[in-house]
Amino acid sequence: MTFRNWHDAAQASPLCVGIDPHPEQIAQWGLPDTPDALGTFAQNVLSAATERAKFIKPQSAFFERHGSAGIAVLEDLLAQAREAGVMSILDAKRGDIGSTMAGYADAYLNPARPLAADALTVSPYLGVGSLRPAMELAAEHGKGLFVLALTSNPEGREVQHARTQEGRAVAAEVVRHAEEVNGQLDVPLIGLVVGATIGTAAADLGIDLPSFSGPVLSPGFGSQGAGVADLEAVFGDAYSDGRVIVNASRSLSRRGPDSADIADEITTVIEALRPKGR
């Protein structure tokens, strides 16, 4: 599977189902904090998403905390998603330089590797150019990258809203660089992470999100407080055109552990998210 048909998938279903098995959620399901419970959580959410949502987003940290046993669960989850035809966006937010960045890219974007996903979240805040190895491998294998641009956490403003010597916002430079790389590709594979709760921040910083050619992954919907009106306000035509992939995690999995209950909630959210006219 490649990420090249992301737009068709997002048109069919704008929802990305986050798989975030943090300890509190595991406990709410009445499960112990063990790798086996991690596997149960991941499998039940994936089963609910299959044939409904087109994307899942496992949060790598919650698997890593269980060591090799947790990583094995993540490997199995990514393999099962491939078999089910569900695109995986691995939320690992990797960002480094040189051969280390190339190593991360190889681990998560090379189809020959056990942790290969269809797309990966990356951090550009060691310099956007430091992501070049990941961008090159994504292009080679038809994988996607989601570059952190405007995140919803308050601390992000200190860096993302800062101005360069030329007077441009750092986040605007991230968006510009991502668009330049997309312009060199036959299909725009480089996307952005932009929180649904940022309000007018993009416009205030001179960023024209509706004109961005790639996909936008938007956390913040549901439990974090954003609704459809926020998505429409933040993303405009990008949302109505089906270029925004909306992530929801806890608002879905809190319906568990019954996969059927989660599936019902996924269906309800997809219908609520589908822009009018589609």
Side-chain angles (χ1 to χ4, degrees):
M1 188 188 305
T2 72
F3 202 67
R4 294 185 184 278
N5 61 337
W6 65 264
H7 190 255
D8 290 343
Q11 286 270 332
S13 173
L15 177 65
C16 176
V17 176
I19 301 182
D20 296 3
H22 53 81
E24 293 82 3
Q25 186 70 83
I26 293 287
Q28 287 173 8
W29 279 29
L31 299 173
D33 188 13
T34 65
D36 285 344
L38 197 72
T40 298
F41 183 97
Q43 181 59 61
N44 285 14
V45 177
L46 176 62
S47 296
T50 300
E51 298 184 2
R52 295 171 181 84
K54 302 298 182 182
F55 305 92
I56 61 164
K57 184 177 72 64
Q59 170 49 256
S60 184
F62 296 122
F63 296 87
E64 292 174 27
R65 62 186 291 274
H66 287 278
S68 59
I71 295 297
V73 173
L74 179 58
E75 287 181 15
D76 288 343
L77 173 63
L78 293 170
Q80 290 167 17
R82 283 192 294 273
E83 292 173 4
V86 178
M87 289 190 188
S88 57
I89 302 171
L90 182 59
D91 195 354
K93 299 183 180 69
R94 297 299 189 244
D96 217 303
I97 60 173
S99 60
T100 308
M101 189 67 245
Y104 282 134
D106 187 49
Y108 300 120
L109 300 173
N110 185 341
R113 305 303 180 201
L115 283 171
D118 295 301
L120 174 69
T121 61
V122 290
S123 174
Y125 295 110
L126 284 176
V128 186
S130 67
L131 299 177
R132 177 62 59 177
M135 290 178 173
E136 291 175 349
L137 205 62
E140 178 182 347
H141 294 297
K143 300 297 186 179
L145 283 183
F146 285 94
V147 184
L148 300 179
L150 283 169
T151 57
S152 55
N153 61 306
E155 303 87 348
R157 298 174 60 92
E158 299 174 9
V159 175
Q160 296 159 19
H161 292 214
R163 299 283 175 169
T164 67
Q165 290 182 338
E166 293 76 22
R168 290 175 59 85
V170 171
E173 285 296 292
V174 170
V175 175
R176 181 185 65 80
H177 193 98
E179 190 68 280
E180 284 183 358
V181 175
N182 277 337
Q184 300 163 11
L185 303 175
D186 58 342
V187 176
L189 298 173
I190 310 303
L192 306 173
V193 177
V194 177
T197 57
I198 65 165
T200 63
D204 295 344
L205 298 174
I207 298 171
D208 183 8
L209 288 175
S211 71
F212 182 70
S213 64
V216 181
L217 177 64
S218 184
F221 182 84
S223 293
Q224 295 182 49
V228 171
D230 298 287
L231 295 167
E232 293 171 337
V234 171
F235 300 108
D237 289 345
Y239 177 65
S240 58
D241 291 347
R243 287 178 281 126
V244 178
I245 300 168
V246 183
N247 183 76
S249 301
R250 279 171 286 179
S251 58
L252 304 175
S253 58
R254 69 186 180 192
R255 291 289 303 272
D258 190 324
S259 291
D261 290 339
I262 303 172
D264 287 344
E265 185 66 16
I266 288 172
T267 300
T268 298
V269 172
I270 288 173
E271 288 305 311
L273 286 175
R274 201 180 307 279
K276 295 174 182 178
R278 284 209 281 113

